[in-house]
Amino acid sequence: MLLHLSTWQEIEDLLRRSRTVVVPIGSNEQHGPTGLLGTDWLCPEIIAHEAHRRGDLLVAPTFNVGMAQHHLGFPGTIALRPSTFMLAIGDWVKSLAAHGFEKIYFLNGHGGNVATIEAAFSEIYAEASYAGRARGFSLKLKNWWDLKGVMSLAQRQFPAGHGSHATPSEIAITQWAYPDAIKAANYAPQIAPSGPIREAADFRARYPDGRMGSDPAQATPEKGGELVAQAVSSLLDDVRAFAGEEAP
Ligand code: NI
């Protein structure tokens, strides 16, 4: 089920048999000369929505803005500072938990989100710990590329020039789902430079076209479809295992 296409009664009924929800989470930020600004939220959404078509899964609306301050040197990027992002995650989680969701699984599409999401989880758990009570729900973060078998497939598809930002794997997934939005460009250099991530001005100076270590010209919709199929199968297994975890 997709939460946003359900009624409150349907969610109330679902809660009688399942207490698990998947939240795609990402970022709206530049992805080089051919990557869509939505790449990092589209990838987890595409995978989660495809999983919902193939299995029994409730998917919440996509949390589509994240911690992307370093991309603010490029037009179209929208970013939350870490402190805002943490508070927003807390309110999302507490809204879902208030209605009875006990297993809240975030499928993430942006490496820059990881530290903040983990810190948000710690803040949420800390409230319960200081109060000396059980939280009543569990949180899990999984990056889509860390789903079983996905990174090894990407390494076979793109043995050189995968890189870490505007990667051919993430661009291939968006090409598979949105073939009408495929873009072309001449990349110079073919494989972008790699290095550290600091503030936005530093990022734009180091990575003038926005890519990091990648050659997105290798992306194809077919490769994207293979990645989605692998990710969907592993996501359904991973969510099933999380849903089945017993409280101590
Ligand atoms: Ni990305």
Side-chain angles (χ1 to χ4, degrees):
M1 284 169 72
L2 299 177
L3 186 142
H4 69 284
L5 298 183
S6 305
T7 65
W8 70 263
Q9 289 99 333
E10 287 173 316
I11 298 303
E12 191 171 73
D13 288 346
L14 173 98
L15 278 162
R16 294 196 184 97
R17 65 177 181 84
S18 170
R19 299 269 167 159
T20 302
V21 59
V22 173
V23 184
I25 190 166
S27 175
N28 196 88
E29 61 183 49
Q30 71 82 15
H31 268 75
T34 55
L36 308 181
L37 281 151
T39 299
D40 280 1
W41 64 263
L42 287 168
C43 287
E45 181 178 278
I46 290 162
I47 293 163
H49 285 200
E50 191 64 16
H52 127 81
R53 283 183 206 105
R54 303 221 199 132
D56 182 22
L57 205 63
L58 175 68
V59 182
T62 302
F63 197 136
N64 61 10
V65 178
M67 213 305 288
Q69 62 79 20
H70 47 295
H71 293 297
L72 282 170
F74 297 87
T77 299
I78 305 171
L80 297 176
R81 67 182 64 222
S83 50
T84 311
F85 193 27
M86 287 170 66
L87 290 171
I89 291 167
D91 289 351
W92 269 62
V93 161
K94 287 173 212 167
S95 300
L96 291 165
H99 301 125
F101 287 102
E102 294 173 353
K103 300 287 174 70
I104 303 171
Y105 184 109
F106 284 86
L107 183 66
N108 178 47
H110 175 47
N113 281 351
V114 171
T116 308
I117 297 174
E118 294 284 11
F121 287 3
S122 295
E123 281 283 350
I124 292 162
Y125 290 136
E127 287 175 11
S129 299
Y130 287 121
R133 57 178 165 74
R135 178 77 261 181
F137 59 85
S138 305
L139 306 167
K140 180 167 174 137
L141 170 64
K142 183 75 107 177
N143 302 314
W144 65 259
W145 55 87
D146 289 330
L147 288 165
K148 194 168 172 220
V150 172
M151 191 47 88
S152 54
L153 172 59
Q155 281 164 353
R156 289 197 298 280
Q157 290 176 325
F158 312 109
H162 185 266
S164 59
H165 183 66
T167 64
S169 60
E170 60 183 347
I171 289 175
I173 289 174
T174 63
Q175 289 182 341
W176 176 77
Y178 296 96
D180 293 342
I182 295 175
K183 323 279 183 183
N186 290 319
Y187 298 103
Q190 194 68 33
I191 297 180
S194 296
I197 295 175
R198 294 181 182 133
E199 79 278 23
D202 181 272
F203 190 102
R204 178 130 191 186
R206 285 176 195 278
Y207 315 109
D209 74 2
R211 297 174 295 146
M212 291 181 70
S214 67
D215 171 17
Q218 303 175 77
T220 66
E222 293 72 26
K223 289 174 185 166
E226 292 167 14
L227 288 161
V228 170
Q230 179 62 49
V232 163
S233 152
S234 297
L235 176 64
L236 289 169
D237 288 346
D238 205 37
V239 173
R240 201 175 301 119
F242 180 51
E245 275 179 19
E246 299 286 346

